[in-house]
Amino acid sequence: MGNPIGTGKRMMDVGKLIVVDIRYDQTRVAVLEDGELVEFYMEDDEKQGLVGNIYRGRVVNVLPGMQAAFVDIGLEKNAFLYAGDINADNTVFDFGDKGNGREIKEISLRDIIREGQEITVQILKESMGTKGARVTTHITLPGRYVVLMPTLNYVGVSRRIDDEEERQRLRKIAEAIKPENMGIIVRTAARGKQPEDLVPDIQVLCRLWARIKESEKEGQVPRLLHKDESLLYRTVRDIFCPDVDRLIINDYYHYQKVVELVKTISPSLVGRVEYADAQRNLFEIYGIDSKIEKAIQKKVWLKSGGYIVIDVTEALTVIDVNTGKFVGKASLEDTAFRTNLEAAEEIAHQIRLRDIGGIIIIDFIDMAEEEHKKKVLEVLEQALKKDRTKTNLVGLTGLGLVELTRKKVRPRLSTAFLKPCPYCNGTGRVYSEATVIAKIEKELERLFSANEAWGALVEVHPSVAHAWEEDKEALEQLETTLKKRICIRADENLHVEESRIQLLKGPGDLEKSFRFS
């Protein structure tokens, strides 16, 4: 049954650890490296992730000017199919005489797909904000050691295998065993494996593709053809590798499932799977909840006293580095260099943990020495290699900013825990007390012009009430102008931008309001 974690086990475990917490129909997976949270995933039983799902959809709109089409796959928003994600092989789409070996960019998009056409697509990126999911006709089916690409004739090797000799060895194996007219990518887990290890993987995936092709033939459109595996299955398949020291899970039923799965795909790792008492909160034991709290904050403090600020916009993510409390000992250049080195490591960690995708701009503290700039970039590049998601470090811009891109697959971590503020609408700012007072004054003018009243009782947040009462002359001037009595009452339950206005027919109404409040 594995070894249940003892009461003395804490988050200070050295090495790589996967913690799986299953409760209330929700699965949470945390990956820790030397006690630090580096990856976090969460999935509800009723709402599993959509990336990897395969659908039979119908093209509803073709936009040659955007080199894209919209496809109805049965979700709330139509999916977006970019021209570059369309398999233009005439075994998939019939061009007639228009194809004739021409490049896809030379062919009109309407020659490739047409409105009303049924096509099979796979989700590449989940719906984010106002945009629907991004889909592709280049289907990929991941296994333990290989990824099968049934619509492409291609052979590739994971970029995380950096030993050139090993890459060439695996490439030769892949070329020898790949199915005809199909492609495969050899995954990182295949490092050191032999053909006999990879062949069963390919056979399983080929059978899966055959079932998907069979299910294409009949049924209503749109419909789901294949649902990607659960988060727990993907964790075992994609993350639980020999570099992981332990996988701890607090649900015995799923623990048994994991053990059976590991026996099938990685028998040597079975001894590293551990069951923890279901009553124990693993995330609390390993301090994961508090780490997640920090991971959704805008400001991240560095051990030196410096800090980084992470701002997310619709188009890109901006990260600013500041010295903060760190004043250094040698010189301004040395202080900037040391802060930037520490920040480079932390930025790579935060990008991976928060699952930040798209364009990322980093504003390091200005440094004069070219050697220092080069070193900071090297540290950042090295730290980014720990990330399983593809990143591309572009380099320094003319303004000294660092540009990089990271593949965007799912919404970032913060979207799972936070929603836009109903008051600030995502700006991170609220109206000042003076602005709130000005808005209330205008509302009072409107109400008094439309109603007969002796005065009004205005209930506001304490900070607004204090600011209004401090400026007695302005309040008296308002009463004089309106020729009405204005009474202010503080209510700490109100938001700083909220107010309640009660019109009063006479002094008696005011007394009643205070008596029954």
Side-chain angles (χ1 to χ4, degrees), residues 68-100:
F70 288 97
V71 184
D72 179 10
I73 58 174
L75 301 182
E76 184 179 348
K77 299 173 184 174
N78 288 335
F80 180 82
L81 176 62
Y82 177 62
D85 292 323
I86 299 174
N87 189 338
D89 190 313
N90 57 17
T91 60
V92 180
F93 299 103
D94 184 12
F95 300 153
D97 295 331
K98 295 180 180 180
N100 197 24

Side-chain angles (χ1 to χ4, degrees), residues 28 31 69 78 171 191 201 235 249 255 291 307 343 401 412 420 432 472:
R28 298 188 299 170
V31 182
N78 288 335
R171 184 178 295 277
R191 185 190 282 115
D201 223 15
T235 298
I249 184 169
Y255 160 77
K291 293 177 187 294
Y307 64 89
L401 304 174
R412 64 186 70 88
S432 65
K472 292 182 179 180

Side-chain angles (χ1 to χ4, degrees), residues 325-351:
K325 302 173 185 177
F326 181 53
V327 295
K329 295 181 180 180
S331 63
L332 179 59
E333 174 73 13
D334 182 70
T335 301
F337 176 54
R338 291 179 180 277
T339 305
N340 286 339
L341 283 178
E342 186 180 5
E345 292 269 7
E346 186 60 36
I347 287 170
H349 172 225
Q350 291 296 326
I351 289 173

Side-chain angles (χ1 to χ4, degrees), residues 157-158 161-173 190-193:
V157 179
S158 169
I161 300 176
D162 48 19
D163 184 292
E164 192 56 37
E165 187 176 334
E166 176 65 3
R167 290 180 64 84
Q168 292 303 320
R169 185 187 73 87
L170 290 171
R171 184 178 295 277
K172 288 179 181 179
I173 291 175
R191 185 190 282 115
K193 300 298 180 180

Side-chain angles (χ1 to χ4, degrees), residues 160-369:
R160 293 175 65 85
I161 300 176
D162 48 19
D163 184 292
E164 192 56 37
E165 187 176 334
E166 176 65 3
R167 290 180 64 84
Q168 292 303 320
R169 185 187 73 87
L170 290 171
R171 184 178 295 277
K172 288 179 181 179
I173 291 175
E175 289 172 346
I177 64 175
K178 85 173 186 67
E180 188 176 357
N181 296 322
M182 290 188 183
I184 60 173
I185 296 176
V186 181
R187 307 191 71 179
T188 309
R191 185 190 282 115
K193 300 298 180 180
Q194 301 302 320
E196 55 269 25
D197 298 310
L198 276 56
V199 168
D201 223 15
I202 295 174
Q203 291 173 338
V204 169
L205 296 174
C206 284
R207 287 196 293 270
L208 172 59
W209 177 240
R211 290 197 299 271
I212 293 171
K213 292 299 289 181
E214 188 64 28
S215 62
E216 278 184 341
K217 297 177 181 178
E218 55 185 35
Q220 64 179 14
V221 177
R223 67 182 183 276
L224 178 67
L225 299 180
H226 168 71
K227 187 174 182 62
D228 197 20
E229 302 290 353
S230 67
L231 172 59
L232 184 57
Y233 183 97
R234 298 196 309 270
T235 298
V236 175
R237 182 190 68 195
D238 301 338
I239 306 177
F240 190 43
C241 299
D243 66 334
V244 176
D245 298 288
R246 301 159 67 206
L247 186 153
I248 305 173
I249 184 169
N250 66 349
D251 181 281
Y252 189 66
Y253 171 78
H254 287 94
Y255 160 77
Q256 291 177 308
K257 292 288 186 183
V258 168
V259 169
E260 289 303 312
L261 178 59
V262 175
K263 282 181 180 178
T264 303
I265 63 177
S266 295
S268 62
L269 301 181
V270 170
R272 304 186 192 185
V273 182
E274 301 178 18
Y275 167 68
D277 191 310
Q279 301 302 314
R280 306 193 67 192
N281 188 333
L282 291 181
F283 273 43
E284 182 178 326
I285 292 172
Y286 288 92
I288 296 170
D289 285 327
S290 62
K291 293 177 187 294
I292 294 172
E293 282 290 325
K294 292 179 181 178
I296 59 177
Q297 300 302 316
K298 184 175 179 178
K299 181 183 287 188
V300 180
W301 286 97
L302 305 174
K303 292 178 181 178
S304 66
Y307 64 89
I308 61 175
V309 177
I310 303 173
D311 271 312
V312 179
T313 72
E314 189 168 344
L316 49 81
T317 299
V318 180
I319 303 176
D320 185 37
V321 182
N322 298 276
T323 55
K325 302 173 185 177
F326 181 53
V327 295
K329 295 181 180 180
S331 63
L332 179 59
E333 174 73 13
D334 182 70
T335 301
F337 176 54
R338 291 179 180 277
T339 305
N340 286 339
L341 283 178
E342 186 180 5
E345 292 269 7
E346 186 60 36
I347 287 170
H349 172 225
Q350 291 296 326
I351 289 173
R352 180 184 175 191
L353 173 58
R354 296 175 188 234
D355 208 3
I356 299 173
I359 300 170
I360 303 169
I361 303 294
I362 307 171
D363 184 11
F364 284 107
I365 304 168
D366 290 339
M367 296 175 291
E369 296 186 22

Side-chain angles (χ1 to χ4, degrees), residues 26-78:
Q26 184 182 72
T27 300
R28 298 188 299 170
V29 175
V31 182
L32 302 172
E33 291 180 356
D34 296 331
E36 286 297 319
L37 180 65
V38 294
E39 294 179 38
F40 174 77
Y41 306 96
M42 183 170 65
E43 185 175 88
D44 294 328
D45 286 352
E46 295 181 358
K47 187 180 178 182
Q48 293 187 359
L50 301 178
V51 174
N53 286 1
I54 300 173
Y55 296 83
R56 189 65 174 174
R58 178 173 281 109
V59 179
V60 295
N61 200 3
V62 179
L63 306 173
M66 291 180 62
Q67 282 293 288
F70 288 97
V71 184
D72 179 10
I73 58 174
L75 301 182
E76 184 179 348
K77 299 173 184 174
N78 288 335

Side-chain angles (χ1 to χ4, degrees), residues 38 41 45 112 151 187 322 369 411 462 487-488 492 500 505:
V38 294
Y41 306 96
D45 286 352
I112 303 173
T151 63
R187 307 191 71 179
N322 298 276
E369 296 186 22
C487 296
I488 303 166
E492 61 183 13
R500 286 194 294 263
K505 295 180 179 179

